[in-house]
């Protein structure tokens, strides 16, 4: 069925942030939720470990704040973290009221502990399928609203900007049919960009489209050099980098190198529960090859755990491992880091306002500064709930009339099979280069090699797009190039090591010069600008009024 040419609100993405926002928007107007595949295909759906939330009063909330700030390595924007931990309990309570079923024992919610959390505060569902349950329950809440329309298998390929305001989106459906939808405002909730890297825990939809489109349209990006590499993705040749949740270490798993040593004592006092960036680099240094396809020398070891039934606690992980002949109780499980979560993104204030009028962002695609240089495990599902709801409230408060949407999207010429193959080759080359040159350990020469690869991909994809050719994959290639370019530029500019960003040539944290956020796309200023964010000026900066 054809889409209407106008909606009050367009939400790009059907993960936790987009669905939560849509639920709020739906009581006040028509909402179009666009998603590249089915509603369930998102990072949210694959989230395993759980959602961090402090539900036991002020002292509990204060501890959650402390842990979030400590993990962020000096760069967490305090007011954003305060909002996250303080509003989190109410958003989670609403989710439970709305039908989300978290694991319980004797009627009480079960809580687990993960790396860098000072106490057990992670709620989980169906053992290790928390994201799927959150996605299911939010989608059911959204579908109960008659005013939400879902456009599945549809790609947002562009933002429509008129007189400096975002007034709509260009879409491409699975048959390559183009259309344009006008709206009062648009929310980018399109998730992360793990597909920038050849080794990632993210599904194939995570190509950073929202970030790339916002940047292309003129919005600022922030903190793009901070890509979190999850320490423990399954490392088997030819098998996707399936995530082995932090909760395994929360339940007591050890990390061992190929000599059988528990090596984390050489890296951090918290051992296996050290912050993610520390654990990931420790694994890299213990002999893991940084190139795809190399042999594996680091293992998760749960063989000593006897108190709990790991199969029951981690049914999804157990089933996946069984397909490959591995068992949590019996075997050493080979692991390696993989790109997992982007701390940076489209710069927003605490109400999800970007620097471009009419455009809002929430969830992994956005950067409020809440994670600083390194996200605390299980804080991102909470982020999607809290900031998705906040962005929706801003969109409602900043109500603007709909513009007349006459102009149609220009239909692209379909790519030939040879063009499609070319696009795949460009993407694969970019992904390998980003992994090799802009991954866990970086320096100026490798980052410059990354820039060369990015330019090669951008020029090939740009040439096809310049011929007015179009497809979802070409649109993704363009997005991957833009996001890679932003990561590389920001990583080159930050000549220090902090959180997830580690420079071999600048191995120390340099607070005097770099206790600041990196900004790309500041009008009138070329390249990366570094700035401190403080409560007063930060809230007045992203100027989304129109
Ligand atoms: C394997 C895995 C495990 C994780 N485990 C946890 C965990 O236990 N706890 C935790 O807090 N976090 C976890 N995370 C991180 C967390 O899941 C994500 O950060 C969070 O779900 C992001 O939510 P989101 O709504 O911002 O985006 P997503 O859930 O990624 O949703 C993005 C949506 O945007 C759509 N989209 C993208 N591009 C376009 C386009 N061009 N046009 C239309 N639609 C588009 C996608 O189709 C999708 O619907 C995990 C992530 C992964 C990958």
């Amino acid at each position: 069925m054809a889409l209407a040419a106008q909606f009050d609100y367009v939400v790009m993405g059907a993960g936790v942030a987009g669905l939560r926002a849509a639920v709020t928007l739906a009581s006040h107007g028509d909402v179009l939720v666009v998603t590249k595949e089915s509603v369930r295909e998102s990072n949210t759906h694959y989230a395993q470990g759980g959602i961090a939330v402090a539900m036991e009063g002020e002292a509990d909330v204060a501890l959650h704040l402390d842990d979030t700030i400590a993990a962020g390595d000096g760069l967490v924007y305090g007011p954003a973290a305060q909002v996250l931990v303080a509003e989190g309990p109410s958003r989670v309570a609403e989710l439970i009221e709305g039908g989300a079923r978290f694991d319980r024992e004797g009627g009480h919610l079960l809580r687990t502990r993960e790396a860098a959390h000072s106490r057990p505060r992670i709620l989980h569902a169906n053992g290790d399928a928390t994201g799927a349950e959150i996605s299911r329950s939010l989608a059911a809440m959204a579908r109960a609203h008659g005013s939400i329309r879902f456009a599945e298998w549809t790609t947002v390929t562009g933002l429509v900007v008129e007189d400096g305001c975002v007034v709509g989106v260009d879409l491409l459906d699975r048959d390559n049919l183009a259309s344009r939808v006008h709206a009062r405002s648009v929310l980018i909730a399109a998730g992360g960009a793990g597909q920038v890297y050849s080794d990632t825990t993210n599904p194939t939809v995570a190509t950073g489209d929202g970030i790339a489109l916002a940047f292309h349209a003129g919005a600022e990006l922030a903190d793009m050099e901070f890509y979190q590499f999850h320490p423990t993705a399954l490392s088997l040749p030819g098998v996707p980098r399936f995530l082995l949740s932090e909760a395994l270490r929360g339940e007591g798993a050890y990390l061992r190198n190929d000599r059988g040593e528990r090596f984390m004592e050489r890296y951090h006092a918290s051992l296996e529960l050290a912050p993610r960036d520390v654990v990931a680099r420790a694994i890299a240094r213990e002999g893991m090859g940084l190139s795809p396809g190399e042999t594996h020398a680091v293992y998760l070891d749960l063989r000593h755990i006897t108190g709990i039934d790991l199969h029951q606690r981690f049914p999804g992980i157990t089933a996946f491992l069984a397909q490959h002949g591995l068992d949590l109780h019996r075997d050493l499980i080979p692991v390696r880091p993989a790109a997992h979560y982007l701390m940076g993104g489209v710069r927003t204030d605490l109400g999800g306002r970007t620097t471009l009028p009419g455009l809002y962002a929430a969830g992994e695609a956005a950067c409020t500064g809440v994670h600083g240089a390194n996200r605390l495990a299980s804080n991102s599902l909470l982020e999607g709930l809290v900031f998705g709801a906040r962005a929706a409230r801003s969109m409602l408060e900043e109500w603007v009339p709909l513009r007349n949407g006459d102009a149609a999207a220009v239909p692209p010429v379909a790519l030939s099979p040879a063009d499609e193959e070319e696009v795949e080759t460009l993407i694969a080359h970019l992904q390998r280069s980003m992994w090799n040159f802009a991954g866990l350990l970086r320096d100026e020469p490798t980052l410059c090699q990354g820039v060369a690869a990015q330019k090669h991909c951008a020029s090939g994809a740009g040439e096809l797009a310049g011929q007015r050719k179009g497809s979802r994959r070409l649109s993704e290639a363009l997005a991957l190039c833009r996001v890679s370019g932003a990561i590389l530029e920001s990583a080159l500019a930050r000549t220090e090591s902090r959180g997830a960003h580690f420079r071999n040539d600048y191995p120390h944290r340099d607070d005097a010069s770099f206790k600041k956020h990196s900004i790309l796309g500041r009008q009138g200023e070329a390249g990366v600008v570094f700035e401190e964010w403080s409560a007063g000026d930060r809230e007045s900066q992203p100027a989304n009024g129109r």
Side-chain angles (χ1 to χ4, degrees), residues 433-451:
S433 304
M434 287 298 288
W435 179 257
N436 289 332
F437 305 135
L440 268 163
L441 306 170
R442 310 153 168 190
D443 55 37
E444 186 170 334
T446 62
L447 288 168
C448 289
Q449 282 177 276
V451 170

Side-chain angles (χ1 to χ4, degrees), residues 7-10 24-25 28 165-167 183-187 347-361 387 389-403 539-546:
F7 281 81
D8 290 306
Y9 306 104
V10 169
T24 292
L25 292 169
H28 304 270
C165 295
V166 173
V167 296
R184 298 182 197 285
S185 51
V186 173
L187 175 68
R347 184 189 176 191
T348 70
D349 68 8
L350 302 187
R353 299 172 193 87
T354 73
T355 52
L356 197 59
L359 188 67
Y360 299 76
F387 290 100
R390 281 186 150 243
R393 286 203 298 276
S394 302
M395 291 166 82
L396 296 173
E397 280 160 21
E398 287 141 26
W399 190 93
V400 289
L402 258 170
R403 302 205 175 191
E539 276 324 277
S540 57
Q541 276 238 340
N544 206 341
R546 42 180 176 173

Side-chain angles (χ1 to χ4, degrees), residues 13-14 16-17 35-36 43-44 47 49-50 156 190-191 209 341 364 378 380-381:
V16 57
T35 173
K36 254 194 306 195
N43 275 5
T44 298
V156 178
D209 303 7
Y341 181 89
E364 191 170 340
S378 287
S380 46
L381 291 170

Side-chain angles (χ1 to χ4, degrees), residues 11-74:
V11 175
M12 177 185 182
V16 57
L19 291 171
R20 181 60 189 81
V23 167
T24 292
L25 292 169
S27 308
H28 304 270
D30 296 332
V31 186
L32 177 66
V33 177
V34 190
T35 173
K36 254 194 306 195
E37 296 189 3
S38 70
V39 167
R40 47 168 283 169
E41 192 60 13
S42 61
N43 275 5
T44 298
H45 178 82
Y46 293 99
Q48 297 176 346
I51 181 164
V53 63
M55 298 181 89
E56 289 176 19
E58 274 177 33
D60 198 22
V61 166
L63 273 179
H64 191 187
L65 181 64
D66 290 348
D67 290 348
T68 300
I69 288 173
D73 208 4

Side-chain angles (χ1 to χ4, degrees), residues 66-86:
D66 290 348
D67 290 348
T68 300
I69 288 173
D73 208 4
L75 215 58
V76 167
Y77 177 55
Q82 177 65 44
V83 162
L84 178 82
V85 298

